[in-house]
Amino acid sequence: VQGIAMNTRRQPFDDIRVRKALRHLFNRESMVEKMMFNEYVLMDSIYPGSVYENKSNEKIRYDPQKAVQLLADAGWKERDANGRLVKGGQPLDIEIVYGDQASERYFTIFQEDLRKIGITLNLRFVTFETLVKLLDERTFGMASIAYTGELFPSPELSLVSTLADQKNTNKITGFKNTRADEIIATYATTFDFKQRVKIL
């Protein structure tokens, strides 16, 4: 599983509407078609292609109009003299860090699509060591990362709230959710395979 992690501990990523808007501005469909020659498929789960994938998960697709509405709802509706979205006089200026230079061609497309909406996206290529340090110390806004697969899914390592503010863990995004914690606790004490699939 690979993608862009958003650090929910930092503004503007602490607002779910901004996160959703950015998802609707990442044109995966076009990238797969034009840059990957339709040899890849879009993923809508952190457990793709397995029994643990929930086929009824929301399908997030490129939708600039929906993104603009979500941003307006989050207070990003005014524009400065350069056409950039502003809130409280501050432009919506974000950064993505990445350690794989080949990814840059996708991020420049994302950068251009965000510019059309009025968002400035700065691209920062770093060494792998620097990327790990930024992730471990939680000093990033967005980061391009990949998670290796697990033969036996362990959602607590990347989803349980108690790890959200601890450094040097897999809890990169800072996601916290009481209901998710309850489900994870049930999963940890359930041994029937079909029930575990349903819980995940």
Side-chain angles (χ1 to χ4, degrees):
V1 176
Q2 97 183 56
I4 299 173
M6 299 180 204
N7 188 351
T8 64
R9 305 168 193 89
R10 289 186 156 199
Q11 293 181 343
F13 310 107
D14 58 341
D15 190 321
I16 193 170
R17 296 165 297 188
V18 173
R19 297 195 305 270
K20 284 185 175 184
L22 291 171
R23 293 188 320 169
H24 284 296
L25 291 168
F26 194 70
N27 196 344
R28 298 186 301 160
E29 302 95 308
S30 178
M31 292 176 192
V32 166
E33 178 190 351
K34 294 176 180 171
M35 302 176 78
M36 301 174 193
F37 309 104
N38 284 319
E39 292 182 357
Y40 286 75
V41 294
L42 302 180
M43 294 191 308
D44 299 295
S45 168
I46 59 172
Y47 303 111
S50 74
V51 295
Y52 300 104
E53 179 177 2
N54 185 346
K55 300 290 186 184
S56 64
N57 279 350
E58 181 184 7
K59 308 297 187 266
I60 304 298
R61 299 297 182 257
Y62 181 68
D63 189 341
Q65 288 182 323
K66 191 167 190 175
V68 168
Q69 183 58 57
L70 284 162
L71 290 166
D73 293 345
W76 297 95
K77 45 191 166 188
E78 311 254 332
R79 294 191 181 269
D80 65 12
N82 296 315
R84 297 179 303 176
L85 287 172
V86 294
K87 180 178 175 182
Q90 295 299 313
L92 187 46
D93 194 345
I94 57 179
E95 178 184 77
I96 183 167
V97 294
Y98 53 98
D100 174 18
Q101 201 151 20
S103 301
E104 200 164 284
R105 62 191 191 130
Y106 304 106
F107 298 146
T108 54
I109 293 171
F110 188 35
Q111 185 181 48
E112 179 59 21
D113 286 338
L114 290 180
R115 186 194 62 75
K116 291 174 187 172
I117 298 296
I119 301 170
T120 300
L121 174 64
N122 299 301
L123 307 181
R124 181 159 59 125
F125 174 65
V126 296
T127 64
F128 178 73
E129 293 77 14
T130 300
L131 180 60
V132 170
K133 186 174 189 291
L134 292 170
L135 293 173
D136 284 349
E137 295 178 356
R138 314 308 192 217
T139 52
F140 70 96
M142 294 192 302
S144 173
I145 60 167
Y147 290 95
T148 57
E150 298 172 332
L151 293 176
F152 193 75
S154 302
E156 53 273 289
L157 295 178
S158 54
L159 296 175
V160 75
S161 296
T162 54
L163 297 177
D165 296 318
Q166 291 184 34
K167 295 180 179 180
N168 302 313
T169 68
N170 281 347
K171 194 64 185 264
I172 294 168
T173 64
F175 170 79
K176 291 181 186 177
N177 184 281
T178 304
R179 180 64 184 129
D181 292 339
E182 292 169 358
I183 294 169
I184 290 166
T186 302
Y187 177 80
T189 57
T190 300
F191 300 97
D192 178 77
F193 177 71
K194 288 182 181 177
Q195 279 299 110
R196 288 175 71 82
V197 169
K198 183 179 178 184
I199 290 167
L200 273 191

